[in-house]
Amino acid sequence: MLSRLVPATAMAVGLALGAMPTAASAQPGAAQDRVVPSGAMSRPHPADGVLAANFNQDLGSLDYHELQAARATWIRGFFTMPDADKGDVAATTTIHTILDASRRNYGTVLSLKFPLAQTEMPAPGSAAMAAELARVDKVLPVVMGRVDILTIGNEPFNESRPQDRTEALNNFYETVAEHVIAYRRAHCASNCKTQLYMGALNRLDLPANRTPVVERWLQFVNATPEIQGVDIHPHVPSREAVQPFLDYVLPRLRPDQKFLATEFSLVWYWQRHMTDPIAPEFAQRYGFAADAKVWQVIEAAIAHPFPQQEWNDFLSSSPWYESQKHFLRDQMTAFRATGRLAVAGYGFRQDTVMEQNWGPDKVPWLLNSVFAPYTVQPAPNGQAGRGYAWIDDFRDVQRPADDQHGAEK
């Protein structure tokens, strides 16, 4: 770890957060028909250009005070399908949390993640396919008609073996989609709350990734009336790299279909700057060596979270970061300008995966987060520290109809 002249000291804060609990404090397995808790919101804006708080696999860290502080009225996470074999699906942290948020009238997006990067893609009719569909059948009765959007797949082209990114991938996901559609038709046909999307496509800014398999993926989405659209994940190395996603996907959808962007960020741009030297004025003010690198300062913050002002000063003094601090605002403007955005999701909270095994080659997902509990000390009111710059724009781009829910400053 980087040695510094003036080490940061973590602040011990034990203030209670009040009446609205974190998701982790709620009781799993609660009855599905329980009364909506006090403090629940009125219905959020419909899925038309909204911005959600994205938690990925870490929905258990959801805190309603943090959502309120950011004026978030939609949430998104994913469920890893092998977890369906571990017992009552409704009692898993992910499903319990997203259903609790739904009962509190938050908009909800749930992606079904099939982690197949280490195993052969199941073929339709095989025992492996039957096992995957059995997992799907454990999840659907719990979430269908309760979540607003169910996305079939998370990142199939990352969560598969390279040799399986052929028609084998199409066959698998089309079989799952048809199974989900059949269930929805049989059990949630009349005014079903849950819309279906397919997801998600990555790195379409690279021509090499616009393959016949991706083309067939979009053809299936287009040709299937029950599918409302497709999810994209524009994690990119520059602002300009997002537009190729839209240019490729939107012409291939039906006019009545929309797109999700449940994850988007400049993470590959951040990564290019991990070995940059830090600003001399920051180094001098906070006691870092003059030749310290960006990744080393982040390492120090992980070891001993910084006061909020020090974290803000670190990033605001980094021209590569300061110049992009309105990426969230500007990208939401671009997404909405298409008239086709349903829901976008932005990384809401740092998690343990982001800070583990930190080093110069670690992908710096933690720089995306609206809340930064792993690098920033808690606020005096006990709320998690914040990522620099994001929360104001996150609030400001919420739909006007959502402003009635207010925000904690």
Side-chain angles (χ1 to χ4, degrees):
M1 186 186 73
L2 176 67
S3 175
R4 56 186 297 192
L5 300 177
V6 185
T9 302
M11 180 174 18
V13 179
L15 300 177
L17 288 178
M20 294 181 77
T22 64
S25 69
Q27 291 297 317
Q32 297 300 314
D33 59 351
R34 81 177 191 188
V35 176
V36 175
S38 62
M41 304 185 309
S42 58
R43 191 72 188 134
H45 196 282
D48 182 16
V50 298
L51 175 62
N54 175 40
F55 291 88
N56 284 334
Q57 77 287 345
D58 199 36
L59 271 168
S61 71
L62 182 151
D63 184 292
Y64 291 105
H65 276 90
E66 292 175 3
L67 293 178
Q68 185 181 21
R71 293 198 181 104
T73 61
W74 279 73
I75 66 166
R76 181 263 176 178
F78 62 69
F79 181 74
T80 304
M81 295 306 292
D83 288 349
D85 297 337
K86 298 179 181 179
D88 181 8
V89 167
T92 62
T93 299
T94 294
I95 302 300
H96 169 73
T97 302
I98 204 162
L99 295 182
D100 183 68
S102 179
R103 287 190 291 270
R104 295 172 184 267
N105 288 329
Y106 283 85
T108 52
V109 183
L110 179 67
S111 301
L112 303 182
K113 176 175 178 172
F114 297 87
L116 298 169
Q118 304 300 323
T119 188
E120 184 178 2
M121 187 72 61
S126 68
M129 188 81 232
E132 295 293 344
L133 295 180
R135 290 169 173 165
V136 173
D137 285 339
K138 294 176 183 178
V139 175
L140 292 181
V142 182
V143 302
M144 189 66 72
R146 295 187 174 97
V147 300
D148 292 279
I149 293 174
L150 186 67
T151 304
I152 301 159
N154 180 52
E155 293 183 345
F157 291 86
N158 289 340
E159 296 156 0
S160 58
R161 304 183 308 171
Q163 62 265 39
D164 288 335
R165 294 166 195 168
T166 64
E167 64 179 13
L169 185 148
N170 296 120
N171 291 337
F172 173 77
Y173 280 95
E174 289 171 17
T175 299
V176 173
E178 289 163 355
H179 191 83
V180 173
I181 290 167
Y183 181 91
R184 184 177 182 272
R185 184 182 301 119
H187 300 279
C188 195
S190 178
N191 297 318
C192 189
K193 171 182 177 178
T194 304
Q195 296 184 338
L196 304 179
Y197 281 74
M198 297 285 288
L201 303 177
N202 299 83
R203 294 311 306 267
L204 293 179
D205 53 307
L206 301 176
N209 289 336
R210 301 172 209 157
T211 66
V213 179
V214 173
E215 189 73 26
R216 175 171 158 180
W217 181 280
L218 290 166
Q219 289 171 355
F220 177 80
V221 169
N222 180 292
T224 308
E226 296 86 354
I227 301 294
Q228 297 296 313
V230 71
D231 193 4
I232 58 174
H233 285 179
H235 295 298
V236 291
S238 69
R239 288 171 176 250
E240 295 75 22
V242 179
Q243 190 60 39
F245 282 76
L246 304 176
D247 292 343
Y248 183 79
V249 166
L250 293 184
R252 289 166 171 79
L253 298 180
R254 300 190 310 265
D256 64 304
Q257 289 178 312
K258 294 184 178 181
F259 73 96
L260 307 174
T262 55
E263 299 180 26
F264 66 100
S265 77
L266 285 172
V267 71
W268 304 119
Y269 172 77
W270 309 145
Q271 189 174 47
R272 291 208 305 258
H273 293 279
M274 289 300 97
T275 56
D276 286 5
I278 62 173
E281 61 272 21
F282 176 83
Q284 183 175 12
R285 179 175 181 181
Y286 289 103
F288 284 93
D291 61 350
K293 303 296 189 290
V294 168
W295 74 269
Q296 293 175 307
V297 174
I298 296 173
E299 182 180 55
I302 291 170
H304 299 286
F306 289 179
Q308 186 71 63
Q309 189 61 55
E310 183 174 357
W311 185 250
N312 291 352
D313 289 347
F314 163 53
L315 292 173
S316 64
S317 68
S318 303
W320 54 272
Y321 200 90
E322 177 70 11
S323 65
Q324 302 298 330
K325 68 179 182 180
H326 293 302
F327 170 74
L328 170 60
R329 177 198 67 191
D330 297 343
Q331 192 54 56
M332 281 301 297
T333 298
F335 283 152
R336 286 171 172 168
T338 68
R340 307 285 295 278
L341 174 67
V343 179
Y346 193 76
F348 200 68
R349 210 174 197 275
Q350 294 173 346
D351 60 38
T352 56
V353 174
M354 297 177 186
E355 54 92 15
Q356 289 172 347
N357 303 312
W358 184 261
D361 299 322
K362 174 82 171 183
V363 181
W365 298 104
L366 53 73
L367 291 182
N368 293 332
S369 304
V370 175
F371 283 90
Y374 287 91
T375 57
V376 181
Q377 295 173 9
N381 67 356
Q383 193 173 88
R386 297 172 180 179
Y388 171 63
W390 300 123
I391 194 166
D392 288 340
D393 283 355
F394 193 103
R395 289 170 175 161
D396 290 346
V397 302
Q398 294 298 314
R399 287 298 203 189
D402 296 333
D403 289 347
Q404 61 185 301
H405 305 304
E408 296 176 354
K409 300 296 184 185

